[in-house]
Amino acid sequence: MKQFLGFLVKEFYHIFRDFRTLLILFGMPVAQIMLFGFAITNEVKDVKIAILDESKDNITKEISSKLLSSGYFIAYDNLKSVKDIEPEFRKGMIKEVIIFEPNFSGNLLKLGKANVQLIADASEPNLANMIVGYTSSILMDYQKDLAKSGDIRPSINTDVKMRYNPNLKSVFMFVPGLMAVILLLVSALMTSISITKEKEIGTMEVLLVSPLKPFQIIIGKVIPYLLLAFVNAFVILGLAQFVFGVPIAGNTVLLLLESTLFVITSLSLGIFISTISNSQQTAMMVSLGGLMLPTIILSGYIFPIENMPIPLQIISNIVPARWFITIVKSIMLKGAGFEYIIKETLVLAGMTVFLIALSIKKFKTRLE
Amino acid sequence: MYIVEVKNITKNFKDTVAVDDISFEVGQGELFGLIGPDGAGKTTLFRMLTTLLKPMSGYAKVLGFDIVKDYKKIRKHVGYMPGRFSLYQDLSVEENLKFFATIFGTTIEENYDLIKDIYILLEPFKKRKAGKLSGGMKQKLALCCALIHKPDVLFLDEPTTGVDPVSRNEFWEMLRKLKEQGITILVSTPYMDEASLCDRVALMQKGKTLSIDTPENIISRFKKPLFAISSENQYSLMQNLLAYENRDTIYPFGDFLHYTDKRENVSTDEIMKYIESLNCKKITVKSIKPNIEDCFMALMEEN
Amino acid sequence: MEDNKIIYAENLTKKFGNFTAVNSISFSVNKGEIFGFLGANGAGKTTAIRMLCGLSTPTSGKATVAGFDVFKQTENIKKNIGYMSQKFSLYEDLTVKENIVFYGGIYGLSNKEIKEKTDYLVDILKIGDARNKLIKSLPLGWKQKLAFSVSILHNPKIVFLDEPTGGVDPVTRRQFWNMIYDAASKGVTVFVTTHYMDEAEYCNRVSIMADGVIAAMDTPSKLKESYNVKTMHDVFVKIAR
């Protein structure tokens, strides 16, 4: 045990003496989340919208003025018919069109149900999402007010249509995705580099010719990065919640536990990479090319999985981040409990066991 | 019991044979040298003996343990200093030493006696990062790290390569002191002149041993009379002797040419006469005792 | 007299912060000379060579190499020198031919010249079939001989050799020195460092650095005479201690 602790201490020395890398590891999540966060939040102000009111009753007027007085939107035009929608969008002047169905208030008050359609220009997907989100919440507010004042329970049905880019991610999608990318980077990339570095400078030879056991070397390499990654997960969640108000609807402890599982999966990937590469350069290329790209492209972080060609959908199943992103989305945004993410958790755990077994088998007690 | 026993050991890397059917034994307390140029197979042999590589055929035992089956036992009892400087550059002198002590389950204090003489020279720099040490200092630290767990046998792979003659002398002085304390030492070197500092040596070339014996015995086996010749213009003398029909071998050695003749029992005078006939000035010809390098080159020619 | 001095250094100094790596050294090397540049590890040899090759600007002093100033005319210096070291010389993952073509190319040799030189080198080094082999598959001795040939491919005025024979077998080491003599006889000045003291004897003149200064400089025989010892090894030990 003392031997192992000595090894661990040495690993921490390495990490804390490489100040530049440390700065990147801790600075990167902060910088990224700030970039993403502000890039999104800054935009929703005085967005130009058009309203097609086919009902023109009191309620639609009230809703319209509520929307326009919110500060988010300004009316660019009032449309006369559905035919006007397309040319307006084409001109690029408006970002959203709100359509009230004919006899809106009548339907709402008598049938307790009325339809409103939101059409957004999704060529700027984040913005489109935000706009629709804001519009919807204003509609919801109105619905609530209405419910309080009367004894009926009216429901405004919003039908959202995205133009030009129909499948786009949810507003807060960047947080789960960013967590996946950062945790993977810290865990897999840094462990694989740190092990191959020892091979490259020749110290691995000396370590192998010592009584240290292979699993002690592996665990000793892994623990510091596990801690680092955990700190990063904390920072990302903290920033997301307190700076940008991304809520954590579900259980925070569960979220952190699941993050730890994902970190362990990534660490075992890192160890695996280090067993197949002999230089830091190879390890870095494999980590970036073999892990980062799939994580960004195939995990559903940027491109929705349902929208991919079937072969890519199948491949996406072996990308750990895909499962992790689903888990984070479920807990953070939907407030799901553990029972809803058992499948994803099991998949990640299975991958981890498989990778660890493979790495220990491949980790050489000799130089060949 | 032999401390190291090597029997018909062979190692291939794809189609190159790095170590080719080598056998030797090293006894308790011996200072054994593997002498040969790069590519002779010294490092591969050391890596096999330190259990880092498996032999293709043949076997070897270290401290009575088989290098393949009992590798874990061997790893507890040997000290190994690889050819490249393999310490952590970002750790200080003290931290490096402490680290190696801990992973071998010991402390600096426990075995301080063994490294005292060497470590005293490093002590003033103990807070300095290993990467910032001079070549000679790095080498001393590496030796301390290899010694800190009081190994029974020490494998030093080219510890003096690229090191200046003065530091090399100092290093060999340290090895002699360690030997006095009963540690068996195997050391490899490309410098032929260091052979004379070993108890026994194996001369190696292209994966094979040319000769294994004490330096004195190897020298005494040099068959031919050897002459050291010099004159005012060594280069032209060399060219002339290369063209001489009775010449067997001629190699420059510092400011002399080392010369052997094809004729048996040729005398200094006869050679002197021939060289005088070449119109050389300030000629000296003397019969000399060969050194290990002469022997090495003679053995290279034979093989 | 000045014309004959291909390297000329006066009070050349290089400091790194508070540390003086090279402390006001003065020396000159004549055209066609084989100049041995010896010294203990850390004595300042590498720093001095870097300054002479135009890779590092001196802190103070004066020096010219092949008639060019080491402060201002480093580009001209680089065109007129060759450099080879034990550690790096040829690309391991390129073939013999590709290495020659590459180095010929960076020194601006024409395709015709490169082809002629390739054939010539393959011939004199007896490489034969190996011309299309990767460098890493060749024995060290061949590599070093080839590296030397490549370093003088562009007919430089001076060639700097940094421990060219480290780890090479004794026979090849001597063949290597034959090549050095050949080059010198053709007028190339050879500036060489080594840890083999017998090789120091092969030099026309030798300088020995210790702690950033040149502690001794003369022909090997005069050095041995003045220190009253038999070999250069003993001279070295006396000075470096």
Side-chain angles (χ1 to χ4, degrees):
Chain A
M1 195 59 198
K2 242 193 111 204
Q3 284 162 276
F4 174 70
L5 286 180
F7 190 84
L8 203 56
V9 168
K10 176 199 77 110
E11 290 306 317
F12 276 109
Y13 281 150
H14 287 320
I15 291 172
F16 289 119
R17 291 204 180 148
D18 190 357
F19 183 70
R20 265 170 291 187
T21 309
L22 197 65
L23 195 70
I24 291 171
L25 288 183
F26 282 116
M28 190 175 53
V30 178
Q32 288 214 16
I33 204 163
M34 290 291 178
L35 278 174
F36 274 95
F38 281 118
I40 290 166
T41 46
N42 275 349
E43 297 255 336
V44 183
K45 212 177 208 179
D46 299 340
V47 173
K48 287 178 181 139
I49 57 167
I51 296 170
L52 173 58
D53 192 343
E54 292 178 313
S55 175
K56 291 206 172 66
D57 53 45
N58 287 337
I59 292 183
T60 58
K61 276 183 189 146
E62 258 181 69
I63 293 176
S64 297
S65 71
K66 209 168 157 53
L67 280 169
L68 296 174
S69 61
S70 67
Y72 302 125
F73 307 109
I74 28 176
Y76 177 74
D77 206 354
N78 283 319
L79 302 176
K80 302 260 155 28
S81 85
V82 183
K83 273 181 259 162
D84 300 336
I85 298 173
E86 188 62 31
E88 290 288 348
F89 270 125
R90 286 269 169 80
K91 276 188 260 167
M93 295 310 286
I94 53 165
K95 297 289 175 196
E96 187 187 39
V97 173
I98 298 164
I99 308 167
F100 296 100
E101 67 175 344
N103 197 19
F104 186 87
S105 70
N107 286 347
L108 190 65
L109 297 173
K110 283 176 197 138
L111 305 174
K113 207 167 126 192
N115 293 314
V116 59
Q117 193 176 35
L118 309 178
I119 304 174
D121 173 357
S123 56
E124 286 173 71
N126 288 325
L127 182 63
N129 251 330
M130 300 282 284
I131 296 169
V132 170
Y134 280 82
T135 315
S136 307
S137 63
I138 292 171
L139 287 171
M140 292 301 266
D141 274 355
Y142 186 79
Q143 184 186 307
K144 270 185 202 160
D145 290 347
L146 214 58
K148 266 182 226 156
S149 59
D151 39 21
I152 42 155
R153 293 184 142 226
S155 125
I156 300 175
N157 237 350
T158 24
D159 172 25
V160 176
K161 281 224 168 77
M162 291 294 176
R163 286 220 154 211
Y164 311 120
N165 178 10
N167 292 295
L168 78 179
K169 53 199 180 71
S170 116
V171 187
F172 300 134
M173 203 42 227
F174 75 95
V175 175
L178 197 62
M179 267 182 84
V181 171
I182 302 262
L183 296 186
L184 189 83
L185 190 74
V186 173
S187 318
L189 180 67
M190 296 313 293
T191 356
S192 64
I193 286 180
S194 135
I195 295 179
T196 43
K197 188 177 176 188
E198 300 237 13
K199 287 193 198 176
E200 216 172 272
I201 61 174
T203 40
M204 194 50 105
E205 258 181 87
V206 185
L207 293 182
L208 287 177
V209 183
S210 80
L212 271 183
K213 295 181 184 70
F215 79 85
Q216 287 179 316
I217 299 180
I218 289 182
I219 304 285
K221 285 279 173 196
V222 154
I223 286 183
Y225 292 108
L226 183 66
L227 292 178
L228 273 184
F230 200 75
V231 172
N232 272 335
F234 234 89
V235 169
I236 297 172
L237 289 178
L239 282 177
Q241 187 162 11
F242 297 113
V243 180
F244 298 106
V246 181
I248 300 180
N251 188 332
T252 312
V253 178
L254 180 64
L255 185 57
L256 286 175
L257 283 177
E258 293 283 351
S259 305
T260 312
L261 175 66
F262 178 68
V263 168
I264 296 173
T265 318
S266 310
L267 288 169
S268 44
L269 260 172
I271 298 163
F272 178 70
I273 290 171
S274 72
T275 59
I276 54 170
S277 37
N278 276 318
S279 68
Q280 294 181 66
Q281 208 183 357
T282 324
M284 190 182 291
M285 292 312 288
V286 175
S287 303
L288 290 179
L291 294 183
M292 294 307 283
L293 277 179
T295 299
I296 293 171
I297 293 167
L298 292 180
S299 66
Y301 174 24
I302 291 182
F303 309 109
I305 293 170
E306 315 80 66
N307 217 30
M308 289 176 193
I310 299 293
L312 285 185
Q313 288 197 29
I314 294 168
I315 295 174
S316 78
N317 283 322
I318 61 164
V319 178
R322 177 209 161 135
W323 305 99
F324 179 63
I325 288 177
T326 314
I327 292 175
V328 180
K329 254 199 270 183
S330 308
I331 300 177
M332 260 182 89
L333 307 177
K334 298 185 194 154
F338 182 65
E339 63 274 20
Y340 294 99
I341 49 169
I342 290 176
K343 183 180 125 201
E344 286 78 10
T345 311
L346 284 179
V347 170
L348 278 186
M351 284 178 169
T352 311
V353 171
F354 173 73
L355 285 168
I356 289 179
L358 199 65
S359 308
I360 289 187
K361 200 162 166 262
K362 285 214 84 180
F363 190 85
K364 292 154 193 142
T365 50
R366 296 170 203 271
L367 286 177
E368 54 192 338
Chain B
M1 186 188 82
Y2 292 118
I3 297 295
V4 175
E5 185 188 348
V6 178
K7 195 80 186 161
N8 303 113
I9 210 166
T10 300
K11 178 77 192 176
N12 292 48
F13 293 109
K14 286 179 191 150
D15 39 353
T16 47
V17 187
V19 169
D20 192 357
D21 194 21
I22 284 181
S23 306
F24 63 86
E25 294 89 29
V26 181
Q28 168 70 45
E30 232 184 330
L31 176 51
F32 188 87
L34 294 169
I35 319 280
D38 287 7
K42 302 179 305 266
T43 300
T44 307
L45 185 57
F46 268 11
R47 285 182 172 166
M48 284 194 282
L49 293 178
T50 50
T51 75
L52 287 169
L53 292 176
K54 279 189 202 170
M56 299 281 284
S57 64
Y59 72 88
K61 286 179 176 177
V62 175
L63 301 163
F65 299 119
D66 186 275
I67 55 163
V68 179
K69 277 198 311 238
D70 304 324
Y71 73 94
K72 283 186 182 156
K73 287 175 191 152
I74 294 177
R75 290 179 182 187
K76 284 195 181 103
H77 298 285
V78 303
Y80 173 46
M81 183 171 155
R84 284 181 298 169
F85 176 68
S86 37
L87 298 173
Y88 297 100
Q89 313 259 0
D90 55 343
L91 299 191
S92 72
V93 169
E94 205 179 18
E95 284 161 354
N96 263 297
L97 193 58
K98 209 177 213 166
F99 170 68
F100 284 102
T102 339
I103 62 167
F104 279 95
T106 179
T107 57
I108 300 179
E109 294 73 32
E110 204 171 320
N111 293 317
Y112 190 69
D113 283 352
L114 198 60
I115 59 160
K116 197 174 77 190
D117 291 343
I118 311 165
Y119 193 62
I120 279 175
L121 303 168
L122 291 167
E123 201 118 45
F125 314 104
K126 68 180 183 186
K127 297 277 178 224
R128 192 180 287 187
K129 301 265 189 319
K132 297 233 151 79
L133 294 176
S134 73
M137 288 289 174
K138 281 182 181 171
Q139 180 201 36
K140 288 183 186 98
L141 177 59
L143 182 61
C144 281
C145 291
L147 273 174
I148 193 64
H149 59 293
K150 203 169 191 203
D152 298 314
V153 53
L154 201 53
F155 292 93
L156 309 173
D157 191 12
E158 299 206 14
T160 55
T161 294
V163 175
D164 68 77
V166 174
S167 304
R168 264 156 59 193
N169 283 353
E170 283 175 10
F171 195 79
W172 278 94
E173 194 57 46
M174 292 175 213
L175 294 191
R176 261 195 296 277
K177 280 187 186 154
L178 290 172
K179 183 181 133 65
E180 280 163 23
Q181 305 193 43
I183 296 178
T184 309
I185 302 169
L186 277 83
V187 57
S188 71
T189 176
Y191 298 105
M192 303 284 154
D193 54 343
E194 293 179 352
S196 59
L197 303 165
C198 302
D199 297 330
R200 283 197 309 137
V201 296
L203 300 185
M204 291 181 70
Q205 163 83 354
K206 292 182 184 158
K208 288 187 178 3
T209 48
L210 301 172
S211 180
I212 302 170
D213 215 326
T214 62
E216 298 76 35
N217 285 347
I218 288 176
I219 287 166
S220 70
R221 245 183 274 130
F222 192 87
K223 293 270 163 42
K224 300 203 159 169
L226 182 70
F227 300 94
I229 307 172
S230 74
S231 78
E232 207 171 43
N233 187 339
Q234 288 292 86
Y235 190 65
S236 74
L237 177 64
M238 170 101 185
Q239 300 307 321
N240 280 319
L241 285 173
L242 273 172
Y244 183 37
E245 76 269 16
N246 287 324
R247 168 199 51 98
D248 187 11
T249 59
I250 175 124
Y251 293 114
F253 253 90
D255 50 354
F256 284 95
L257 298 172
H258 284 193
Y259 173 86
T260 59
D261 203 282
K262 279 178 183 157
R263 295 164 293 181
E264 305 247 323
N265 304 320
V266 68
S267 71
T268 344
D269 290 345
E270 279 171 89
I271 295 165
M272 188 75 167
K273 250 179 227 155
Y274 174 72
I275 296 169
E276 276 168 350
S277 76
L278 298 169
N279 282 332
C280 287
K281 283 176 193 146
K282 292 189 185 167
I283 310 162
T284 42
V285 178
K286 50 189 182 184
S287 175
I288 54 160
K289 202 180 134 190
N291 60 30
I292 288 286
E293 195 157 346
D294 289 308
C295 300
F296 193 94
M297 286 192 283
L299 289 162
M300 270 177 79
E301 295 260 310
E302 274 173 36
N303 290 29
Chain C
M1 191 60 203
E2 277 298 316
D3 290 345
N4 199 28
K5 286 181 177 152
I6 192 114
I7 300 178
Y8 175 78
E10 198 181 319
N11 301 326
L12 198 61
T13 301
K14 178 79 189 186
K15 289 181 184 168
F16 297 105
N18 291 324
F19 173 67
T20 309
V22 172
N23 191 358
S24 190
I25 58 172
S26 304
F27 68 98
S28 60
V29 179
N30 298 325
K31 197 165 181 291
E33 204 174 16
I34 301 176
F35 188 79
F37 198 61
L38 313 183
N41 300 92
K45 278 179 301 176
T46 310
T47 312
I49 290 179
R50 286 205 176 139
M51 287 193 282
L52 296 175
C53 291
L55 298 175
S56 159
T57 311
T59 311
S60 63
K62 274 201 283 199
T64 59
V65 173
F68 299 108
D69 187 272
V70 294
F71 286 93
K72 291 176 207 138
Q73 296 168 299
T74 53
E75 289 314 309
N76 292 328
I77 290 177
K78 287 175 191 170
K79 278 181 201 144
N80 284 286
I81 61 170
Y83 177 80
M84 171 207 165
S85 86
Q86 184 203 352
K87 284 163 210 117
F88 168 78
S89 34
L90 299 173
Y91 289 97
E92 295 271 306
D93 52 353
L94 298 187
T95 65
V96 171
K97 203 176 135 195
E98 286 160 353
N99 264 290
I100 298 175
V101 170
F102 171 72
Y103 280 101
I106 61 173
Y107 283 105
L109 267 60
S110 70
N111 288 343
K112 194 167 148 261
E113 277 174 302
I114 290 175
K115 198 182 170 308
E116 280 168 12
K117 293 261 184 187
T118 311
D119 292 339
Y120 172 72
L121 287 182
V122 166
D123 188 42
I124 60 154
L125 296 173
K126 301 187 184 67
I127 289 171
D129 321 333
R131 76 159 72 197
N132 289 319
K133 277 196 176 163
L134 295 183
I135 292 294
K136 64 181 168 197
S137 69
L138 300 180
L140 178 73
W142 282 28
K143 276 189 220 173
Q144 297 304 81
K145 284 194 268 185
L146 183 64
F148 177 65
S149 308
V150 167
S151 71
I152 55 171
L153 203 63
H154 56 296
N155 303 317
K157 295 193 175 113
I158 310 159
V159 61
F160 289 88
L161 307 175
D162 194 2
E163 284 186 50
T165 55
V168 175
D169 74 74
V171 173
T172 312
R173 208 148 67 76
R174 286 167 174 81
Q175 291 168 349
F176 193 94
W177 273 90
N178 260 334
M179 294 177 69
I180 293 182
Y181 271 102
D182 263 357
S185 69
K186 287 176 188 148
V188 179
T189 307
V190 180
F191 191 96
V192 60
T193 74
T194 179
H195 285 315
Y196 292 96
M197 287 303 124
D198 57 329
E199 294 184 349
E201 314 260 8
Y202 307 147
C203 301
N204 300 121
R205 277 192 311 140
V206 165
S207 84
I208 301 178
M209 277 192 85
D211 296 328
V213 298
I214 292 182
M217 178 165 57
D218 214 325
T219 62
S221 53
K222 282 197 181 137
L223 281 174
K224 285 183 281 185
E225 211 175 289
S226 57
Y227 284 88
N228 198 20
V229 288
K230 286 222 173 64
T231 61
M232 277 306 292
H233 180 267
D234 297 338
V235 173
F236 188 88
V237 170
K238 278 205 166 179
I239 288 171
R241 274 225 164 107

